[in-house]
Amino acid sequence: MTKPQGIAVLGATGSVGCSTLDVIARHPERYRVVALSGHRQLDKLFEQASRFRPDYLVVADADAAAQLALRLEQAGLPGEVLHGPQALEEIVRLPEVDAVMAAIVGAAGLPSALAAAGAGKRILLANKESLVVAGRLFMDAVRRSGAGLLPVDSEHSAIFQSLPADYAGQPALAGIRKIILTASGGPFRGKSAAELLDVTPADACRHPNWSMGRKISVDSASLMNKGLEVIEAHWLFGVPPEQIEVVVHPQSVIHSMVQYRDGSVIAQLGSPDMRTPIACALAWPERIDAGVEPLDFFSLSSLSFEKPDLANFPCLRLAFDALAMGGDAPAVLNAANEVAVDAFLNGRLRFVDIPKVVSETLSGVDLAASASLDALLARDEDARRFARGRVAAC
Ligand code: NAD
Ligand code: MG
């Protein structure tokens, strides 16, 4: 029997992290959890540590680390507790870590995902913000080290599965006409501008098909999530923006498609359950049980398709604009969006002002391309400062 693969799950306590552990628990002979990170969610992390007995745990700061270490000791559980962003980078580089699930939310997930890329690990990438902020640096690091990069975002997993097996990032050679990203349209699909004026964070987090963390739920409601995914697809598959199209498909059964020059369209279908793309990334090119209900075609009433409503949901257009502007524009877009979404979730900004803050920040911050990670993180900080000012002015 072959040795189980060592896995580090970053963002283990989140929505994707929990689904990852659910899949891993079904295959103890294939996977061993080496490390888990959970920032400030200590109760959940403790519960996961009792179940999976990792060698390392990573939390936000020294206080949280001391608390968790004490609880583990009292319960007679193993596991060394580390803390801070640097510790996340250290654990992904451990020789016993074969694969890293990058499932931290936001640009906070970038340095550790980049460290995994630099160390040549197999990266299971849920943290789309890494590619939005640092697409070029990230893909260069992957190429240099020979790391494996497997998309976990359901649309990108669908595209990955619909591309030719030997796809080398050259759409023209592969005969590709378009990458078609499907979007559910989110909880506010069909709402008018007037109806959007007083929506609340609870409304935004009530997604019709997927159960997700709060930040990505708001992004789905504003269509910024689809915008971030357009940028993610551009970097992952080497496809120019004009060959990426967004189609609203409210049932979320088709998870995305590749349209070829000869008229063929290859799509990936399934129930809207993140355990499918997670299992696909974990086991690729093999297929393993993910605990997902098989798709029942007889209970699907219909599959429908619409154009996205860019007038009421301008975030998608802003993301296409940022990709066309190039340089640091996508990083600035992402930083402003993180600030605006956080303000919305905390009752300091209206939903309709999220695109306003993003657009003003794109106009107010220098967008010239940063050449290093440090320069990029400084730009991210500039954009956040500017966006906070715009939030205060709204
Ligand atoms: P979540 O909010 O449920 O979980 C986020 C995780 O990150 C938690 O473990 C949290 O403790 C950790 N975290 C938060 N802030 C941190 C920080 N500053 N430093 C270190 N760790 C921190 O989020 P989620 O819905 O699981 O999404 C995670 C990532 O996966 C996001 O990038 C999201 O866009 C992407 N994604 C999620 C889904 C989904 O269905 N939830 C689907 C596709 C892609
Ligand atoms: Mg997605």
Side-chain angles (χ1 to χ4, degrees), residues 360-378:
E360 289 173 356
T361 307
L362 277 170
S363 310
V365 174
D366 183 7
L367 304 176
S370 294
S372 68
L373 179 63
D374 286 347
L376 198 54
L377 295 178

Side-chain angles (χ1 to χ4, degrees), residues 85-368:
Q86 199 61 42
L88 292 169
E89 295 182 46
E90 283 159 20
I91 55 160
V92 303
R93 294 196 185 101
L94 292 169
E96 60 268 41
V97 170
D98 301 301
V100 175
M101 167 54 81
I104 289 173
V105 62
L110 171 62
S112 50
L114 205 51
K121 303 294 180 176
R122 181 179 170 107
I123 308 158
L124 320 177
L125 189 69
N127 178 252
K128 65 191 82 184
E129 294 91 345
S130 287
L131 282 175
V132 173
V133 175
R136 190 176 305 279
L137 283 177
F138 194 90
M139 295 308 286
D140 283 351
V142 165
R143 273 189 284 269
R144 264 201 308 274
S145 70
L149 181 55
L150 284 306
V152 170
D153 213 348
S154 59
E155 294 77 2
H156 305 73
S157 174
I159 294 161
F160 174 75
Q161 294 177 63
S162 303
L163 286 169
D166 59 356
Y167 182 68
Q170 292 179 300
L173 293 184
I176 290 170
R177 179 173 287 150
K178 263 184 192 164
I179 295 284
I180 301 172
L181 285 174
T182 53
S184 69
F188 302 150
R189 183 176 63 90
K191 278 201 190 298
S192 66
E195 287 170 318
L196 289 173
L197 277 177
D198 52 6
V199 294
T200 66
D203 297 332
C205 291
R206 215 172 289 124
H207 196 278
N209 305 336
W210 300 93
S211 148
M212 310 181 286
R214 282 163 68 75
K215 189 260 177 185
I216 185 177
S217 294
V218 176
D219 286 347
S220 298
S222 70
L223 289 198
M224 181 58 95
N225 182 51
K226 213 45 58 180
L228 301 179
E229 291 183 355
V230 167
I231 302 172
E232 181 185 14
H234 163 73
W235 288 112
L236 274 176
F237 306 118
V239 183
E242 58 279 9
Q243 275 180 285
I244 305 176
E245 185 171 6
V246 173
V247 172
V248 174
H249 163 49
Q251 297 82 14
S252 298
V253 168
I254 298 178
H255 296 141
S256 280
M257 310 179 246
V258 178
Q259 185 172 58
Y260 289 88
R261 221 182 287 158
D262 61 7
S264 292
V265 178
I266 311 236
Q268 184 261 356
L269 283 70
S271 303
D273 186 324
M274 283 304 292
R275 289 175 300 175
T276 296
I278 290 167
C280 179
L282 270 168
W284 188 263
E286 290 175 53
R287 299 283 185 166
I288 56 172
D289 176 36
V292 176
E293 281 298 305
L295 193 59
D296 176 6
F297 284 95
F298 302 109
S299 69
L300 292 176
S301 51
S302 71
L303 300 181
S304 58
F305 305 94
E306 301 164 10
K307 284 208 156 95
D309 173 359
L310 296 182
N312 286 324
F313 300 91
C315 284
L316 177 56
R317 195 181 19 110
L318 288 171
F320 267 108
D321 291 348
L323 186 53
M325 287 176 209
D328 285 355
V332 168
L333 169 102
N334 178 72
N337 182 59
E338 287 192 24
V339 167
V341 170
D342 183 66
F344 168 65
L345 283 171
N346 289 298
R348 290 184 282 109
L349 190 73
R350 292 182 311 169
F351 181 75
V352 289
D353 288 333
I354 295 174
K356 191 161 169 253
V357 169
V358 173
S359 159
E360 289 173 356
T361 307
L362 277 170
S363 310
V365 174
D366 183 7
L367 304 176

